[in-house]
């Protein structure tokens, strides 16, 4: 899962500072916090991410303690008071955006790189002019590989995009 909140849009070419730190690992999850501020120390973006490690051959999650045995010395500052919640399912009334993932979308592990999913959403929305994003969250629930047909569904409320959902067509 990845979530960020834009607190202030930086100016074009503005220099910012990025701070990031890991939290103490859970049983299988790793959480990393991040914070972006302008040169005056004004917050620009705050975010969090939660990751699991997948065994490259067995394609199963690996326990965090098996790969990161250090248990002390972690910072405890969190960017969001609430734990990341799963984005709820919804029924879309809009026509989905459909496409097939490609080899260049994938990383060395053979699955679509996590950075590609936001691109997919923005491509599907086909913005005609710049937009301001307040909060953005992605929940990764299934591994996607090259050649997978994806359908992106949208839910709008009063002209505001509320959530999107990917359907894998296998």
């Amino acid at each position: 899962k990845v979530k960020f909140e834009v607190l202030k849009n930086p100016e074009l070419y503005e220099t910012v500072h990025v701070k990031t730190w890991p939290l103490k690992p859970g049983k299988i999850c790793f959480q990393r916090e991040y914070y972006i501020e302008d040169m005056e120390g004004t917050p620009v973006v705050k975010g969090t991410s939660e990751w699991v490690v997948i065994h490259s051959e067995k394609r199963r999650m690996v326990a965090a303690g098996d790969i990161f045995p250090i248990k002390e010395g972690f910072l405890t500052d969190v960017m969001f008071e609430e734990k990341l919640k799963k984005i709820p399912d919804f029924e879309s009334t809009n026509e989905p955006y459909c496409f097939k993932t490609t080899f260049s979308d994938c990383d060395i592990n053979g699955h679509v790189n996590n950075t590609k999913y936001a691109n997919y959403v923005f491509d599907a929305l086909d913005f005609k002019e710049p937009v301001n994003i307040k909060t953005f969250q992605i929940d990764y629930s299934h591994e996607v590989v090259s050649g997978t047909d994806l359908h992106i569904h949208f839910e709008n409320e009063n002209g505001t995009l509320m959530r999107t959902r990917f359907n894998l067509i296998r």
Side-chain angles (χ1 to χ4, degrees), residues 25-26 28-32 49-53 62-65 67-68:
I28 59 168
C29 294
F30 296 87
Q31 192 165 340
R32 185 163 202 89
S49 60
E50 186 175 280
W51 302 95
V52 296
V53 174
V62 178
I67 53 178
F68 204 86

Side-chain angles (χ1 to χ4, degrees), residues 67 104 151:
I67 53 178
S104 64
H151 293 188

Side-chain angles (χ1 to χ4, degrees), residues 3-5 7 16-21 32-38 40-49 77-80:
K3 179 179 181 180
F4 68 82
E5 182 177 336
L7 306 169
V16 295
H17 290 218
V18 178
K19 298 177 182 180
T20 182
W21 58 97
R32 185 163 202 89
E33 303 296 287
Y34 56 95
Y35 181 78
I36 302 172
E37 63 186 15
D38 65 19
E40 286 75 44
T42 303
V44 175
V45 174
K46 67 178 184 175
T48 187
S49 60
D77 296 340
V78 294
M79 293 293 96
F80 299 100

Side-chain angles (χ1 to χ4, degrees), residues 8 10-11 20 24-25 27-29 44 56 66 82-85 87 93 96 100 108 111 117 138 141-142 150 156 163:
K8 173 190 154 219
E11 298 297 322
T20 182
K24 182 178 176 181
K27 289 183 180 183
I28 59 168
C29 294
V44 175
S56 62
D66 291 348
E82 301 177 349
K83 185 174 169 67
L84 280 178
K85 294 180 182 170
I87 298 171
T93 57
K100 186 182 292 278
I108 194 168
H111 56 239
Y117 292 92
I138 298 176
S141 58
H142 299 285
L150 289 180
N156 293 301
R163 55 185 65 90

Side-chain angles (χ1 to χ4, degrees), residues 128-142:
K128 303 296 184 218
E129 56 189 62
V131 297
N132 291 322
I133 296 172
K134 180 171 176 19
T135 304
F136 192 87
Q137 180 176 332
I138 298 176
D139 293 355
Y140 305 96
S141 58
H142 299 285

Side-chain angles (χ1 to χ4, degrees), residues 92-110:
S92 175
T93 57
N94 301 325
E95 190 70 26
Y97 174 79
C98 304
F99 67 100
K100 186 182 292 278
T101 59
T102 65
F103 176 79
S104 64
D105 293 332
C106 297
D107 60 23
I108 194 168
N109 296 309

